[in-house]
Amino acid sequence: MTQENEQVGTEVDWGWTELIYSRTDARGVIRFANPTFCRVVGMEMDALRGAPHRIVRHADMPKGVFWIFWDRLKQGLPVAAFVKNRTMSGDYYWVFAFAKACEGGYLSVRFRPRGPLFETIRKEYEALRRAEREEGLSPEASGKRLLKRLEELGMEDFEAFMSAALAEQSAMRHKALGRVEQVRDRTVRELIGRVDKAQGIIDDMAVGFDRIRGEPINMRILSGRMDDGGMAISTISQNYDTMASEMWEDLAALGAIEGSDLQAMRHAFHQGHFALMIEEILGDAADALEQEAGAFDGDLAIAADVALLRDMVEEAESFARRKVLRIIQRCRLLPETCRRLRRKINGLDVVKLLCRVESGRMGERDTGLEGIIGRLDDFHSDVDRQLDGLSDCARQITSDGQALLLSSNSPHNPAPRA
Ligand SMILES: Cc1cc2nc3c(=O)[nH]c(=O)nc-3n(C[C@H](O)[C@H](O)[C@H](O)COP(=O)(O)O)c2cc1C
């Protein structure tokens, strides 16, 4: 079986609830492989130990994927990806693989993937592999092209892709295992729903702000057409413009720009959620290894790997807790920013009132001021309502976060910890 024999062989039918585990040295040479790995790939355990991991490399896999894979591992970051592997008989099997650094090298846990995102990625890989051949893309150029494609597919970066893929694959795995949704999983799901809702409110506010920014210009045009009262309207419009710009900055700090409160919360959420899902898979891998060792008829020195996996479960759990704390801390800033915005809206109300006085002075004449005032009225009541909605979201996010810190019903870490 050569590496160029593509699209041959059939897919291996391995269990939806099984896990493939391996640990390598720093260069990717296999140091430990579990019996499921040996069975699926069709190799004796002794032969697999000591072989480079690329022994299962399938020629259909784009080089760019491994470029991302190693780039992250070398930076000390975890990585998750869909990988097509080959067996020793020339068949193939797909995995959803999670890998991270451990003492002396790296470890990886994989399970069988399915679902819409998996199907999308399969097609992306095919296109990328073709581009590598036809355009002679380097692994780095190919990896970067994949990152760009993921962005076009709505995943802002590789972390967002990993989060989405892991969420889809974990849900599929739960189904296969008959595992019901835990309270903690539901809270996490609700939490991101609330962060999304807050982001939606801020996006709507940004649209309203953008629209209202044209009004001071309308006022100035109007003032130019008036012989009396023109000066007053022009001054009012300048005040309105200045105050609205200041509010725009507050809004940006809330959620409309990189590094804003909402974006920081969303980032912390993705990292925390990812850690929680990984915690479960690593814990499952430790359980599976123990069970396999019992059934395995040979020498399987698993104690060190089980301990390694259990340590990582703990590590993932405390990482997730730190991220939840970060969400709560950022969330505490939201009500103050909302109050600041509300004070400014009240200031704008005074400007609007002056507009109304001027309009009254004009009497019956149709100056167009009434139309502007009507639109300002609508804008102000929209912002009022949106700020209320945002404060509600902030309260709920804080209470979800606190509930998460208090509860720990992970299957591998059942005792709540302070
Ligand atoms: C922990 C770990 C797990 C890996 N798992 C796989 C795998 O399942 N399939 C695979 O093709 N490469 C895997 N690799 C990457 C290989 O080492 C190798 O980079 C890849 O097969 C591409 O080979 P190439 O760089 O020689 O083209 C893994 C590496 C590590 C460190």
Side-chain angles (χ1 to χ4, degrees):
M1 172 83 210
T2 72
Q3 292 261 324
E4 296 309 319
N5 271 349
E6 295 177 28
Q7 306 293 349
V8 291
T10 51
E11 183 162 10
V12 177
D13 184 23
W14 63 297
W16 295 105
T17 60
E18 288 188 296
L19 291 171
I20 289 179
Y21 171 77
S22 62
R23 179 168 48 76
T24 72
D25 66 10
R27 291 172 307 132
V29 174
I30 299 172
R31 291 287 167 225
F32 184 94
N34 71 334
T36 305
F37 190 4
C38 301
R39 192 195 78 233
V40 172
V41 83
M43 266 179 97
E44 291 294 325
M45 188 157 305
D46 288 343
L48 207 44
R49 283 185 201 162
H53 225 305
R54 77 181 309 281
I55 195 162
V56 292
R57 193 199 194 301
H58 197 286
D60 285 354
M61 274 302 288
K63 296 178 186 136
V65 177
F66 294 115
W67 182 80
I68 297 173
F69 191 91
W70 279 104
D71 184 51
R72 287 189 63 89
L73 285 185
K74 283 182 180 159
Q75 286 182 58
L77 298 169
V79 58
F82 295 104
V83 182
K84 183 177 185 177
N85 281 329
R86 74 181 191 103
T87 70
M88 291 308 106
S89 61
D91 289 331
Y92 67 90
Y93 64 101
W94 276 95
V95 294
F96 181 67
F98 167 76
K100 81 179 291 250
C102 63
E103 180 143 8
Y106 307 98
L107 62 75
S108 174
V109 179
R110 314 163 185 84
F111 54 99
R112 194 171 170 185
R114 56 178 155 181
L117 185 54
F118 171 48
E119 293 307 324
T120 303
I121 296 300
R122 278 166 82 132
K123 291 196 193 94
E124 290 300 323
Y125 281 6
E126 274 172 33
L128 194 60
R129 188 71 193 100
R130 210 172 316 119
E132 283 179 354
R133 268 198 225 96
E134 288 169 10
E135 300 170 38
L137 289 183
S138 69
E140 180 173 351
S142 164
K144 288 186 171 157
R145 186 174 292 188
L146 178 60
L147 293 176
K148 194 161 155 272
R149 275 298 296 152
L150 293 176
E151 211 179 314
E152 284 162 9
L153 291 166
M155 289 161 278
E156 56 201 304
D157 51 25
F158 198 72
E159 308 242 317
F161 157 73
M162 292 198 307
S163 236
L166 189 52
E168 176 179 281
Q169 297 312 312
S170 290
M172 297 288 171
R173 199 173 129 73
H174 282 178
K175 225 185 246 171
L177 286 162
R179 213 172 256 173
V180 290
E181 190 180 49
Q182 306 277 317
V183 177
R184 188 178 76 173
D185 300 333
R186 198 173 55 239
T187 313
V188 168
R189 191 161 46 74
E190 284 169 359
L191 182 64
I192 192 59
R194 300 194 207 286
V195 175
D196 281 344
K197 188 171 167 199
Q199 185 71 58
I201 294 176
I202 289 172
D203 292 346
D204 284 351
M205 283 170 89
V207 171
F209 268 74
D210 230 15
R211 211 177 290 138
I212 213 66
R213 285 190 105 170
E215 293 304 347
I217 300 170
N218 290 340
M219 288 186 205
R220 273 196 286 282
I221 293 170
L222 240 166
S223 70
R225 288 209 305 262
M226 293 173 174
D227 16 303
D228 54 346
M231 272 305 282
I233 295 294
S234 166
T235 314
I236 290 170
S237 86
Q238 268 165 23
N239 283 344
Y240 198 99
D241 203 14
T242 314
M243 291 173 89
S245 301
E246 283 174 17
M247 286 177 71
W248 185 257
E249 281 165 26
D250 285 334
L251 189 66
L254 260 181
I257 54 158
E258 187 70 34
S260 63
D261 293 338
L262 239 321
Q263 287 206 349
M265 280 161 61
R266 184 182 292 280
H267 196 60
F269 174 83
H270 281 311
Q271 290 182 318
H273 188 205
F274 188 76
L276 286 178
M277 293 186 286
I278 288 306
E279 178 197 327
E280 185 181 354
I281 287 164
L282 293 172
D284 279 358
D287 292 349
L289 273 190
E290 278 179 330
Q291 276 170 22
E292 281 183 321
F296 186 66
D297 187 20
D299 164 35
L300 189 62
I302 60 138
D305 285 86
V306 170
L308 191 64
L309 288 163
R310 300 248 185 256
D311 280 352
M312 283 187 176
V313 167
E314 291 261 332
E315 199 185 292
E317 165 119 11
S318 74
F319 178 84
R321 282 173 178 274
R322 287 201 301 278
K323 293 298 156 187
V324 172
L325 263 176
R326 181 154 169 71
I327 293 175
I328 295 176
Q329 281 161 355
R330 275 290 186 156
C331 197
R332 291 218 171 102
L333 303 175
L334 282 188
E336 179 47 37
T337 316
C338 285
R339 271 194 291 277
R340 221 169 37 231
L341 266 169
R342 203 181 287 277
R343 276 198 297 275
K344 287 185 183 150
I345 273 283
N346 291 343
L348 283 183
D349 269 338
V350 175
V351 176
K352 203 179 64 185
L353 203 70
L354 290 174
C355 243
R356 214 182 277 286
V357 170
E358 274 311 305
S359 167
R361 242 173 33 81
M362 304 285 161
E364 294 295 298
R365 268 184 295 159
D366 177 17
T367 56
L369 255 184
E370 278 303 320
I372 294 176
I373 293 170
R375 289 195 292 279
L376 294 183
D377 270 340
D378 288 347
F379 168 67
H380 288 201
S381 59
D382 279 354
V383 175
D384 254 349
R385 193 173 31 78
Q386 286 157 334
L387 287 176
D388 281 345
L390 213 49
S391 301
D392 274 354
C393 283
R395 263 193 301 278
Q396 287 164 343
I397 291 169
T398 307
S399 89
D400 280 349
Q402 282 163 344
L404 273 178
L405 285 182
L406 287 173
S407 83
S408 163
N409 56 359
S410 137
H412 302 288
N413 221 344
R417 287 193 286 150

